Amino acid sequence: MNGLRSATRVWLACLLLGITLISGKAFCANGTSPKIVRNISYMAQGGDPKLNALDIYTEAGTSNRPVIVFIHGGGWRNGDKVMGAGDKATDFTQEGYVFVSINYRLSPAVTHPVFAQDCAQAVAWVYGHIAGYGGDPKRIFLMGHSAGAHLAALISTDTHYLADVGVPMKALRGCILLDSAAYDMRPGAPNDLIPKVLIRKAFGSDPAVLKSASPLVYVAAGHDIPPFLIFYVATRDTSRQQSETMARALTAAHVPVEVKPAYDKSHRTLNVGLGTDGDIPTEQTLEFLAKYK
């Protein structure tokens, strides 16, 4: 159903905008594919030229489109913006969004709070420059997978990250989280062996640090926290427990939240399947985006 709706929408847009469809993909009248601008540095000084960079997926001639900023996973130690984008970049661009995929510095070269600070710096760059690429800086959605979901949740709840770089929380229209078990890192929080090992390697074992890195700690009313869409893999108990606990806290703080179990998905396929035809989480994501854009 999603594929038929998307194909129909793209076909109609092609008629109106002079775009040609070849093998199901959208091409502009001059034969070029949707525009990709790669490796834009988002830090004015310092940082790592490769890791403090982002890619923008957009379409020529557009303006004031809502923006999705995607934060890749990889246990805060691995991963990258190109692999993270996948089919999501093409699909959401065709659905009327500007898609931005970011890198950030990784452990063990850096430690908390640098991961989140880098992501906030990337959002600040988007806020200040995305209008030049067809995006609306007042309509930004954060999306992340695994460790990236943790970071998206952290900078959407701990307001100082965006405040420190001059971005108002109200610029965030929503936060979409793909299967993390790190919303609460404090000792005693539900978790299984793999996340515990990854958390310890990236954040250490100091309870004060683990508390400061836990998005759940910062959920409170009156902080302009955006609406949340939280996915968890249905067969993964710790992700379900963490997601449901996060959702209860958001609800208590009067923040709109939806929690969706992803059936017949693994931690990996939930992410790589997003943006593909017939994918239920994709349809649910598009419904959430439409509601708050």
Side-chain angles (χ1 to χ4, degrees):
M1 184 67 181
N2 179 48
L4 178 61
R5 173 184 49 74
S6 297
T8 301
R9 189 175 298 173
V10 172
W11 180 77
L12 290 172
C14 290
L15 290 179
L16 293 172
L17 299 176
I19 295 174
T20 303
L21 280 180
I22 301 175
S23 300
K25 295 185 178 180
F27 291 83
C28 300
N30 62 6
T32 60
S33 60
K35 183 178 180 181
I36 305 173
V37 185
R38 296 201 184 277
N39 299 318
I40 298 175
S41 174
Y42 60 75
M43 294 187 74
Q45 55 186 353
D48 182 308
K50 179 181 178 181
L51 295 180
N52 294 121
L54 56 82
D55 297 339
I56 300 174
Y57 300 76
T58 186
E59 290 187 346
T62 61
S63 62
N64 296 318
R65 286 187 169 194
V67 182
I68 299 171
V69 176
F70 183 77
I71 307 173
H72 70 76
W76 306 276
R77 297 173 64 87
N78 300 293
D80 108 329
K81 57 185 171 58
V82 176
M83 293 182 65
D87 289 319
K88 294 184 285 293
T90 300
D91 186 65
F92 291 120
T93 300
Q94 290 179 349
E95 292 288 349
Y97 298 86
V98 174
F99 191 92
V100 180
S101 190
I102 72 170
N103 276 347
Y104 51 95
R105 286 174 286 180
L106 301 167
S107 172
V110 299
T111 58
H112 174 74
V114 174
F115 316 123
Q117 290 170 338
D118 282 3
C119 293
Q121 286 277 5
V123 173
W125 189 96
V126 170
Y127 183 73
H129 298 86
I130 203 63
Y133 299 85
D136 183 350
K138 296 180 180 179
R139 294 191 292 163
I140 297 173
F141 291 87
L142 296 185
M143 178 188 293
H145 170 243
S146 193
H150 159 261
L151 294 170
L154 187 59
I155 65 176
S156 295
T157 53
D158 185 352
T159 59
H160 92 269
Y161 285 108
L162 292 183
D164 287 351
V165 293
V167 179
M169 288 293 290
K170 288 185 177 180
L172 299 185
R173 289 296 182 92
C175 183
I176 302 163
L177 308 179
L178 307 176
D179 200 46
S180 176
Y183 306 129
D184 188 356
M185 295 184 176
R186 293 173 294 181
N191 230 317
D192 51 39
L193 180 60
I194 293 176
K196 281 184 177 179
V197 170
L198 293 174
I199 288 169
R200 181 166 295 182
K201 286 183 176 180
F203 295 86
S205 56
D206 183 343
V209 173
L210 295 174
K211 179 180 179 180
S212 71
S214 297
L216 181 68
V217 170
Y218 302 99
V219 177
H223 288 180
D224 292 324
I225 295 173
F228 272 65
L229 174 60
I230 305 174
F231 288 100
Y232 66 87
V233 170
T235 56
R236 190 180 176 205
D237 285 343
T238 53
S239 179
R240 174 185 58 79
Q241 292 171 323
Q242 288 252 350
S243 297
E244 290 177 347
T245 300
M246 184 73 175
R248 285 194 294 270
L250 290 162
T251 298
H254 309 292
V255 177
V257 58
E258 301 173 33
V259 184
K260 303 290 187 182
Y263 296 102
D264 300 319
K265 297 284 187 178
S266 68
H267 184 65
R268 174 182 174 275
T269 60
L270 171 60
N271 180 49
V272 299
L274 206 68
T276 59
D277 288 346
D279 182 65
I280 292 174
T282 299
E283 187 68 30
Q284 293 168 328
T285 298
L286 288 170
E287 291 172 358
F288 176 84
L289 291 166
K291 185 184 298 185
Y292 294 108
K293 69 178 181 180

